[in-house]
Amino acid sequence: MLNKTLTEINSTVDFITFLHTNFMTKIDHDNFPEKYKQSRLPEEISKSMEDKAKLKNIRDRELIRDNIYLQYKFDIFEYPFVVFYEVNRTKKLKPFKKQIDAHNFANLNLHQGIYSMLISIMNRDIECQLYKPSTYAE
């Protein structure tokens, strides 16, 4: 099987489960560079926010950002488009600054028989596009 993780994603629920499993695990420390931490939502503002759904969305993005930073060593604020793929059972996440570059990389993977998923993390809603035979995008 080329890519066990991505062959199992067939719905929005599958994608949400994928996000939680791979990028939303609880982190028990705050050992991040000071510059990295400065871009977080200040605690005073979060306490005064009335829109709790918006606050949850912000906190979820921060958790995803932290997980990606720890696992893959890049910041999604700098690289808001990522392509997830697997090679030899190793999960990989390649960062991109431009969506077109991420799209081209995912298409190249598909031509090589590697399924990929382009994830746009910094949009209003987290979006994904699967690149596997039934969803090929030119």
Side-chain angles (χ1 to χ4, degrees), residues 55-67:
L55 178 60
K56 182 181 180 331
N57 187 323
I58 291 168
R59 292 297 184 217
D60 286 349
R61 302 289 167 103
E62 287 178 344
L63 184 58
I64 291 169
R65 179 182 180 226
D66 291 351
N67 273 271

PDB file of all heavy atoms in Angstrom, residues 55-67:
ATOM      1  N   LEU A  55     -12.324  32.000  19.946  1.00  0.00           N
ATOM      2  CA  LEU A  55     -11.210  31.736  20.850  1.00  0.00           C
ATOM      3  C   LEU A  55     -10.760  30.278  20.728  1.00  0.00           C
ATOM      4  O   LEU A  55      -9.560  30.000  20.668  1.00  0.00           O
ATOM      5  CB  LEU A  55     -11.599  32.058  22.300  1.00  0.00           C
ATOM      6  CG  LEU A  55     -10.531  31.775  23.349  1.00  0.00           C
ATOM      7  CD1 LEU A  55      -9.274  32.595  23.090  1.00  0.00           C
ATOM      8  CD2 LEU A  55     -11.079  32.054  24.742  1.00  0.00           C
ATOM      9  N   LYS A  56     -11.710  29.349  20.653  1.00  0.00           N
ATOM     10  CA  LYS A  56     -11.358  27.929  20.498  1.00  0.00           C
ATOM     11  C   LYS A  56     -10.617  27.704  19.178  1.00  0.00           C
ATOM     12  O   LYS A  56      -9.633  26.973  19.136  1.00  0.00           O
ATOM     13  CB  LYS A  56     -12.602  27.053  20.562  1.00  0.00           C
ATOM     14  CG  LYS A  56     -12.259  25.556  20.463  1.00  0.00           C
ATOM     15  CD  LYS A  56     -13.476  24.694  20.491  1.00  0.00           C
ATOM     16  CE  LYS A  56     -13.192  23.224  20.405  1.00  0.00           C
ATOM     17  NZ  LYS A  56     -12.020  22.763  19.720  1.00  0.00           N
ATOM     18  N   ASN A  57     -11.074  28.367  18.128  1.00  0.00           N
ATOM     19  CA  ASN A  57     -10.409  28.255  16.836  1.00  0.00           C
ATOM     20  C   ASN A  57      -8.965  28.730  16.937  1.00  0.00           C
ATOM     21  O   ASN A  57      -8.045  28.072  16.445  1.00  0.00           O
ATOM     22  CB  ASN A  57     -11.184  29.084  15.792  1.00  0.00           C
ATOM     23  CG  ASN A  57     -10.667  28.885  14.391  1.00  0.00           C
ATOM     24  OD1 ASN A  57      -9.473  28.748  14.147  1.00  0.00           O
ATOM     25  ND2 ASN A  57     -11.578  28.901  13.435  1.00  0.00           N
ATOM     26  N   ILE A  58      -8.741  29.854  17.600  1.00  0.00           N
ATOM     27  CA  ILE A  58      -7.388  30.390  17.782  1.00  0.00           C
ATOM     28  C   ILE A  58      -6.532  29.421  18.587  1.00  0.00           C
ATOM     29  O   ILE A  58      -5.384  29.129  18.228  1.00  0.00           O
ATOM     30  CB  ILE A  58      -7.433  31.779  18.454  1.00  0.00           C
ATOM     31  CG1 ILE A  58      -8.042  32.805  17.490  1.00  0.00           C
ATOM     32  CG2 ILE A  58      -6.037  32.216  18.901  1.00  0.00           C
ATOM     33  CD1 ILE A  58      -8.387  34.131  18.143  1.00  0.00           C
ATOM     34  N   ARG A  59      -7.072  28.898  19.670  1.00  0.00           N
ATOM     35  CA  ARG A  59      -6.315  27.958  20.520  1.00  0.00           C
ATOM     36  C   ARG A  59      -6.001  26.663  19.773  1.00  0.00           C
ATOM     37  O   ARG A  59      -4.914  26.090  19.931  1.00  0.00           O
ATOM     38  CB  ARG A  59      -7.084  27.669  21.816  1.00  0.00           C
ATOM     39  CG  ARG A  59      -7.180  28.847  22.749  1.00  0.00           C
ATOM     40  CD  ARG A  59      -5.799  29.260  23.229  1.00  0.00           C
ATOM     41  NE  ARG A  59      -5.912  30.330  24.203  1.00  0.00           N
ATOM     42  CZ  ARG A  59      -5.072  31.341  24.292  1.00  0.00           C
ATOM     43  NH1 ARG A  59      -4.044  31.420  23.484  1.00  0.00           N
ATOM     44  NH2 ARG A  59      -5.229  32.272  25.201  1.00  0.00           N
ATOM     45  N   ASP A  60      -6.948  26.193  18.959  1.00  0.00           N
ATOM     46  CA  ASP A  60      -6.695  24.991  18.161  1.00  0.00           C
ATOM     47  C   ASP A  60      -5.549  25.224  17.177  1.00  0.00           C
ATOM     48  O   ASP A  60      -4.674  24.373  17.010  1.00  0.00           O
ATOM     49  CB  ASP A  60      -7.948  24.571  17.392  1.00  0.00           C
ATOM     50  CG  ASP A  60      -9.000  23.930  18.273  1.00  0.00           C
ATOM     51  OD1 ASP A  60      -8.707  23.607  19.456  1.00  0.00           O
ATOM     52  OD2 ASP A  60     -10.137  23.748  17.788  1.00  0.00           O
ATOM     53  N   ARG A  61      -5.533  26.390  16.527  1.00  0.00           N
ATOM     54  CA  ARG A  61      -4.448  26.716  15.591  1.00  0.00           C
ATOM     55  C   ARG A  61      -3.114  26.800  16.311  1.00  0.00           C
ATOM     56  O   ARG A  61      -2.087  26.384  15.798  1.00  0.00           O
ATOM     57  CB  ARG A  61      -4.692  28.043  14.872  1.00  0.00           C
ATOM     58  CG  ARG A  61      -5.968  28.133  14.093  1.00  0.00           C
ATOM     59  CD  ARG A  61      -5.959  27.267  12.841  1.00  0.00           C
ATOM     60  NE  ARG A  61      -7.306  27.166  12.328  1.00  0.00           N
ATOM     61  CZ  ARG A  61      -7.768  27.829  11.301  1.00  0.00           C
ATOM     62  NH1 ARG A  61      -6.991  28.618  10.626  1.00  0.00           N
ATOM     63  NH2 ARG A  61      -9.015  27.674  10.921  1.00  0.00           N
ATOM     64  N   GLU A  62      -3.132  27.368  17.510  1.00  0.00           N
ATOM     65  CA  GLU A  62      -1.888  27.449  18.288  1.00  0.00           C
ATOM     66  C   GLU A  62      -1.373  26.058  18.631  1.00  0.00           C
ATOM     67  O   GLU A  62      -0.172  25.801  18.572  1.00  0.00           O
ATOM     68  CB  GLU A  62      -2.097  28.277  19.556  1.00  0.00           C
ATOM     69  CG  GLU A  62      -2.237  29.758  19.290  1.00  0.00           C
ATOM     70  CD  GLU A  62      -2.504  30.577  20.549  1.00  0.00           C
ATOM     71  OE1 GLU A  62      -2.882  30.011  21.586  1.00  0.00           O
ATOM     72  OE2 GLU A  62      -2.324  31.808  20.480  1.00  0.00           O
ATOM     73  N   LEU A  63      -2.282  25.146  18.974  1.00  0.00           N
ATOM     74  CA  LEU A  63      -1.883  23.777  19.291  1.00  0.00           C
ATOM     75  C   LEU A  63      -1.323  23.069  18.055  1.00  0.00           C
ATOM     76  O   LEU A  63      -0.297  22.387  18.127  1.00  0.00           O
ATOM     77  CB  LEU A  63      -3.071  22.994  19.865  1.00  0.00           C
ATOM     78  CG  LEU A  63      -2.790  21.576  20.332  1.00  0.00           C
ATOM     79  CD1 LEU A  63      -1.707  21.546  21.411  1.00  0.00           C
ATOM     80  CD2 LEU A  63      -4.073  20.936  20.839  1.00  0.00           C
ATOM     81  N   ILE A  64      -1.973  23.257  16.914  1.00  0.00           N
ATOM     82  CA  ILE A  64      -1.467  22.686  15.663  1.00  0.00           C
ATOM     83  C   ILE A  64      -0.091  23.264  15.358  1.00  0.00           C
ATOM     84  O   ILE A  64       0.845  22.537  15.017  1.00  0.00           O
ATOM     85  CB  ILE A  64      -2.450  22.960  14.501  1.00  0.00           C
ATOM     86  CG1 ILE A  64      -3.736  22.155  14.703  1.00  0.00           C
ATOM     87  CG2 ILE A  64      -1.810  22.631  13.153  1.00  0.00           C
ATOM     88  CD1 ILE A  64      -4.862  22.544  13.761  1.00  0.00           C
ATOM     89  N   ARG A  65       0.032  24.574  15.505  1.00  0.00           N
ATOM     90  CA  ARG A  65       1.315  25.248  15.250  1.00  0.00           C
ATOM     91  C   ARG A  65       2.416  24.679  16.145  1.00  0.00           C
ATOM     92  O   ARG A  65       3.515  24.375  15.684  1.00  0.00           O
ATOM     93  CB  ARG A  65       1.150  26.741  15.495  1.00  0.00           C
ATOM     94  CG  ARG A  65       2.416  27.533  15.294  1.00  0.00           C
ATOM     95  CD  ARG A  65       2.180  29.002  15.596  1.00  0.00           C
ATOM     96  NE  ARG A  65       3.396  29.772  15.407  1.00  0.00           N
ATOM     97  CZ  ARG A  65       3.838  30.685  16.263  1.00  0.00           C
ATOM     98  NH1 ARG A  65       3.150  30.981  17.343  1.00  0.00           N
ATOM     99  NH2 ARG A  65       4.956  31.322  16.020  1.00  0.00           N
ATOM    100  N   ASP A  66       2.114  24.521  17.428  1.00  0.00           N
ATOM    101  CA  ASP A  66       3.099  23.988  18.377  1.00  0.00           C
ATOM    102  C   ASP A  66       3.511  22.565  18.018  1.00  0.00           C
ATOM    103  O   ASP A  66       4.697  22.225  18.045  1.00  0.00           O
ATOM    104  CB  ASP A  66       2.549  24.024  19.805  1.00  0.00           C
ATOM    105  CG  ASP A  66       2.403  25.424  20.362  1.00  0.00           C
ATOM    106  OD1 ASP A  66       2.881  26.389  19.729  1.00  0.00           O
ATOM    107  OD2 ASP A  66       1.781  25.562  21.438  1.00  0.00           O
ATOM    108  N   ASN A  67       2.536  21.723  17.692  1.00  0.00           N
ATOM    109  CA  ASN A  67       2.841  20.337  17.330  1.00  0.00           C
ATOM    110  C   ASN A  67       3.707  20.262  16.082  1.00  0.00           C
ATOM    111  O   ASN A  67       4.675  19.495  16.035  1.00  0.00           O
ATOM    112  CB  ASN A  67       1.540  19.554  17.115  1.00  0.00           C
ATOM    113  CG  ASN A  67       1.001  18.955  18.385  1.00  0.00           C
ATOM    114  OD1 ASN A  67       1.341  17.842  18.742  1.00  0.00           O
ATOM    115  ND2 ASN A  67       0.166  19.704  19.088  1.00  0.00           N
TER     116      ASN A  67
END
